[in-house]
Amino acid sequence: MTEARPDRPGTDRQDRRSAPSPGGFPPHHVDGRPGGLPGPVPDLRRIGIAPDHWYPVATSRKVRRNRTFATAFAGQRIALYRGRSGTVHALEDRCAHRQVPLSMGVVEGDILRCCYHAWAYRGDGRISQIPYLPKGCERPPRGVRSYPVREAYGLVFVFPGDPALAEAAAFPRLPEYHSPAHRTMTFSRTVRCHYSFMHENLLDMNHQFLHRSVLGRIRPELLGYETGPRHVEARYLFVPAGGRKDRGAGLLSAEGVGGRDTPDVITIRTEYPYQTLRGVPEGTDLPAFSLWAAYVPEDAEQRLNHAYGLLTIAKPPVPGAMHLAWPLIRRFTERVFAQDRTAVEAEQRAWDEQGEDRNHEVFPLILDLRDVLRSNGVPLRSDVESGCTPCGLATPAHRAGVASGAAAARPAAPAAEGAAE
């Protein structure tokens, strides 16, 4: 675990492998590779998100009782349905008979019946009935894939990877969601970009010029950051520098209630595969707000993601004040998200046009973030000979080969270093 200070950028990075240049940063090639290292480095935008985690794929209110809901994860089409018991089930969105989407089907009790020939499926994906099957004929031995499901925080989560790993996999913990002292705003938006652009956007707070029309002039100061095999965490001081600020911004950071207009300490953390943000007014210990976010790829190429966010806001001591402030806070957050979406979608369009990243990233924090996303992700399928599975993610053998190739291009860390819209 290391920390980098803005006055000596790059000199304390965990992955520092060469002496700093005269400007203070270690020399890098495009995308953060130290100068002179042999071998190609995988393009981050060709790295898929690892499936062996819990991912939200719908808000709970979208999955109504006795109804179906179509969703997807990285090209895997998934049919959600809530049966009579209230339990949500997740099945591969195709009938084993003629491939008609099961999300077009009918919920009867706790089974899902295909709309075409009325084949019926249990929540575990097994076929429970084929109405016209003659006596003496054997039922097909297999139905369709089912996914482990958990419902929490007003979201429906599925585990799209190896189901044997689901029970032991870490599940997001958001204790403030259930606290009577807080209220949570839920976001669910589709963004046309690779999920990694979303991580970079939130973690790199140097882009506040983009939000000058809603935040006024903000001078973000990097207080420090730490990084590890699965995480990167940065702390910024947000110093107001004048300009007109959206009323909702002040209410979100509790300025409108306490009369404060002080700097905020903003802490952002990518803990693979999720991201969190906490805003604490300077001079206090309790966060005024916190955000948990997940960026879930929908298509096999993973150039389209669904961003799910839970913004938890501390209630002011004045009764009814949060109810009055809520529409203003919602408007502010929607304006900020719209500006961010414009930027990251423009980045994706540039990548599509060029066929690769041609950017020159200089911020050590983002270079470390890219390493974390690469090392924990899986390569996307590039062609038929790539040894990949139908869902567009690499097989374990191919994944290991690419990972070893990337590792070969990266010198070992010094032995002395050890190591949640």
Side-chain angles (χ1 to χ4, degrees):
M1 186 178 297
T2 60
E3 186 172 273
R5 299 288 181 179
D7 56 338
R8 295 197 305 152
T11 59
D12 291 324
R13 290 182 62 214
Q14 174 178 318
D15 67 343
R16 179 171 63 86
R17 305 174 187 102
S18 56
S21 65
F25 289 96
H28 282 85
H29 283 172
V30 175
D31 201 27
R33 284 304 101 195
L37 281 184
V41 175
D43 186 339
L44 177 57
R45 319 310 172 185
R46 299 184 190 277
I47 298 296
I49 204 165
D52 291 332
H53 297 273
W54 288 97
Y55 291 98
V57 292
T59 58
S60 292
R61 64 182 183 83
K62 291 283 188 179
V63 190
R64 299 165 59 189
R65 193 182 295 266
N66 299 322
R67 296 289 183 89
T68 63
F69 182 80
T71 186
F73 173 85
Q76 302 178 47
R77 293 192 300 159
I78 300 172
L80 303 177
Y81 76 96
R82 191 186 299 275
R84 179 173 52 198
S85 66
T87 300
V88 177
H89 303 283
L91 302 180
E92 184 181 359
D93 196 6
R94 65 171 189 91
C95 180
H97 179 214
R98 299 279 186 88
Q99 314 295 308
V100 173
L102 289 177
S103 57
M104 297 170 59
V106 178
V107 180
E108 296 180 354
D110 282 307
I111 67 168
L112 178 57
R113 193 177 292 278
C114 178
C115 69
Y116 197 11
H117 290 81
W119 285 33
Y121 297 85
R122 300 187 182 95
D124 60 4
R126 294 179 180 272
I127 299 169
S128 67
Q129 184 189 31
I130 301 176
Y132 54 85
L133 190 68
K135 290 183 179 181
C137 291
E138 291 188 7
R139 185 177 302 163
R142 295 190 181 119
V144 296
R145 177 183 178 181
S146 65
Y147 296 84
V149 181
R150 291 185 67 172
E151 194 169 6
Y153 316 124
L155 300 173
V156 177
F157 292 77
V158 301
F159 194 86
D162 183 350
L165 303 177
E167 186 174 351
F171 193 80
R173 293 184 65 255
L174 306 174
E176 292 175 348
Y177 181 88
H178 299 290
S179 168
H182 297 81
R183 184 175 175 183
T184 300
M185 187 177 289
T186 302
F187 299 91
S188 173
R189 298 286 186 274
T190 297
V191 188
R192 297 185 178 279
C193 74
H194 189 264
Y195 63 90
S196 61
F197 289 116
M198 303 293 288
H199 281 273
E200 293 178 5
N201 170 264
L202 190 62
L203 194 62
D204 187 352
M205 282 291 167
N206 294 306
H207 76 274
Q208 295 312 306
F209 183 75
L210 177 69
H211 303 308
R212 60 194 181 278
S213 63
V214 289
L215 282 174
R217 293 192 298 274
I218 294 290
R219 189 174 71 251
E221 299 177 4
L222 180 64
L223 300 177
Y225 81 90
E226 62 180 45
T227 183
R230 299 183 61 85
H231 82 277
V232 180
E233 180 177 289
R235 293 181 298 109
Y236 296 87
L237 185 67
F238 265 33
V239 181
R244 184 175 181 180
K245 179 162 52 175
D246 186 284
R247 178 63 173 159
L251 293 170
L252 179 62
S253 57
E255 293 172 8
V257 176
R260 297 189 301 268
D261 189 12
T262 57
D264 292 331
V265 176
I266 305 294
T267 302
I268 308 105
R269 182 181 181 93
T270 288
E271 180 78 36
Y272 194 89
Y274 315 117
Q275 200 164 42
T276 58
L277 180 150
R278 298 171 74 248
V280 180
E282 192 177 36
T284 68
D285 296 323
L286 299 177
F289 61 92
S290 59
L291 172 71
W292 177 90
Y295 315 118
V296 185
E298 294 186 342
D299 59 323
E301 294 79 15
Q302 302 200 18
R303 298 181 191 176
L304 181 74
N305 78 85
H306 200 105
Y308 293 91
L310 298 172
L311 178 63
T312 304
I313 307 167
K315 293 180 180 178
V318 181
M322 180 58 72
H323 177 75
L324 296 175
W326 201 250
L328 296 173
I329 295 174
R330 167 67 79 170
R331 185 190 67 174
F332 161 70
T333 55
E334 294 287 2
R335 291 180 68 187
V336 170
F337 184 83
Q339 292 173 345
D340 284 333
R341 177 159 56 185
T342 297
V344 295
E345 290 184 347
E347 289 184 284
Q348 181 64 63
R349 287 195 301 273
W351 189 96
D352 291 339
E353 293 165 1
Q354 298 163 174
E356 61 180 355
D357 266 336
R358 295 184 185 174
N359 60 65
H360 297 268
E361 183 56 65
V362 297
F363 196 18
L365 171 64
I366 298 303
L367 299 177
D368 281 351
L369 170 68
R370 291 180 177 181
D371 281 345
V372 168
L373 296 179
R374 275 196 197 91
S375 62
N376 288 284
V378 294
L380 291 171
R381 179 178 58 192
S382 58
D383 52 47
V384 177
E385 279 88 32
S386 65
C388 298
T389 60
C391 68
L393 300 176
T395 61
H398 181 66
R399 185 186 316 167
V402 174
S404 63
R410 181 183 302 129
E417 290 189 0
E421 178 189 59

